[in-house]
């Protein structure tokens, strides 16, 4: 698969189910041996939670400029576990069934990665995370 917006995530964005500027957006690192995300049918965190390796805190400094979403680089501390084949940005509500998935990323520097108990820093592309 390639980097993509989740189909139902796009629908939820258009339906104003979340606000990228103000809502608690997070990143989950996923092991595909536990669960392979499906951007066409998965809609919420409970669809991919079996493959979760680590979850970030809320993304800092979210911005939207000329249709491009961006945020500050993210560091997850002391990550261990199975290999990570993808990242997913999602709306954190505290309830996996309503934590909507938005962005799937499996292409970039250091993906896949094997956690070793150290920190994992996610450095977003200089042009932003995604554009519509």
């Amino acid at each position: 698969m390639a980097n993509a917006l989740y189909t139902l995530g796009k629908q939820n964005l258009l339906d104003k189910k979340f606000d990228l500027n103000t809502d608690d957006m997070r990143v989950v690192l996923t092991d595909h041996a536990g669960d392979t995300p499906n951007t066409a049918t998965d809609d919420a965190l409970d669809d991919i939670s079996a493959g979760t390796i680590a979850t970030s805190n809320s993304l800092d400094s979210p911005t939207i400029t000329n249709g491009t979403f961006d945020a500050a680089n993210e560091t997850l501390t002391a990550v261990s576990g199975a290999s990570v084949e993808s990242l997913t940005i999602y709306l954190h509500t505290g309830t996996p069934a309503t934590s909507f998935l938005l962005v799937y990323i499996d292409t970039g520097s250091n993906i896949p990665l094997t956690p070793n108990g150290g920190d994992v820093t996610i450095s977003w592309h200089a042009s932003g995370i995604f554009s519509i």
Side-chain angles (χ1 to χ4, degrees), residues 4-5 8 14 25 29 31 33 36 39 41-43 57-60 63 66 72 80 93 97 101 111 130:
L5 294 176
L8 297 169
L14 293 171
M25 303 303 293
L29 307 181
D31 170 29
T36 301
T39 59
T41 59
D42 291 344
D43 71 336
N57 292 316
S58 183
L59 295 180
D60 290 326
T63 60
N66 298 324
S80 61
T93 65
L101 307 177
I111 298 175
F130 75 92

Side-chain angles (χ1 to χ4, degrees), residues 24-48:
D24 185 355
M25 303 303 293
R26 297 187 182 197
V27 176
V28 63
L29 307 181
T30 306
D31 170 29
H32 291 191
D35 190 310
T36 301
N38 183 328
T39 59
T41 59
D42 291 344
D43 71 336
L45 191 59
D46 62 344
D47 291 326
I48 64 169

Side-chain angles (χ1 to χ4, degrees), residues 78-109:
V79 178
S80 61
S83 66
V84 173
E85 286 80 32
S86 66
L87 319 172
T88 294
I89 298 175
Y90 72 98
L91 167 68
H92 177 74
T93 65
T95 304
T98 60
S99 292
F100 300 122
L101 307 177
L102 181 60
V103 181
Y104 172 87
I105 300 170
D106 70 353
T107 304
S109 299

